[in-house]
Amino acid sequence: MTFNGSKNFRIVGHANKIIGLDISTTQVEVASKLVTDPSVKFIQGSCEKLPIEDCSVDVITAIQAAHYFDLPAFFSEVDRALKPGGIIGMAGITLPICTDSATLNSAATKLCWDIISEHGFPDKVTLIENNYKDLPVPFPGSRQEFSVEIVSEWKLQDFVDHCLTFSPVNTMLKSLGLSLEEGYRYLVGMLKERGMVEEDERAVCKWSQTCNMVTCVKPNV
């Protein structure tokens, strides 16, 4: 998966060839403009039918995406495309927790789950919130789990901008016919309705997220 290409950009120089895949043609176009290194190629395609030759890649990663996949179909493709001894890594990042304001954290948590429940896939997001403990892997005998805490200092605008990257939020805004600018104001109003106080609107707060990664290795036999 490529998203905007940022994950691929960070591993430039660590691999001879990098293929970024996304189901969205728009995302592929954006990523291709952001990352122009000749070792990186972005293509449109499905994770359940990888446009990659058999036993041709050393590493496959899925960042903030595997919980949405048809996992049996994806794992079949992983087994086909990975070289023996190759690694599959799947990472998910939890919803942000505001550690400096109880009122803002409560409002933000209610906002996220209310939107996810109505416009998203709560069972899928629960896999992330459970730190990917329940996420299956294609080669369970070599399963390993890693967790890294991500701490950010955000103004309210930063948190709302982060929310605007969520698929369920964009689905909601599209259903309401709202632009991103209108959506920003709409989300702030939703936070107020859920208990955000005036002080929260002006504060710079610490927010914590956990990035959980599950890896495993394709057997050599």
Side-chain angles (χ1 to χ4, degrees), residues 85-105:
I87 299 171
I88 166 72
M90 300 173 286
I93 303 173
T94 59
L95 294 171
I97 297 172
C98 181
T99 57
D100 284 344
S101 169
T103 52
L104 181 53
N105 184 59

Side-chain angles (χ1 to χ4, degrees), residues 5-12 14:
S6 59
K7 309 299 185 300
N8 304 81
F9 179 76
R10 293 170 190 170
I11 59 175
V12 169
H14 297 279

Side-chain angles (χ1 to χ4, degrees), residues 6 13 19 23 40 59 64 66 69 75 80-81 87 92 101 106 128 134 139 145 198 205:
S6 59
I19 300 172
I23 195 69
V40 183
V59 179
Q64 202 70 349
F69 294 168
F75 290 161
R80 179 188 64 78
I87 299 171
S101 169
S106 175
I128 301 179
D134 300 320
F139 316 113
E145 299 176 3
E198 186 175 345
C205 296

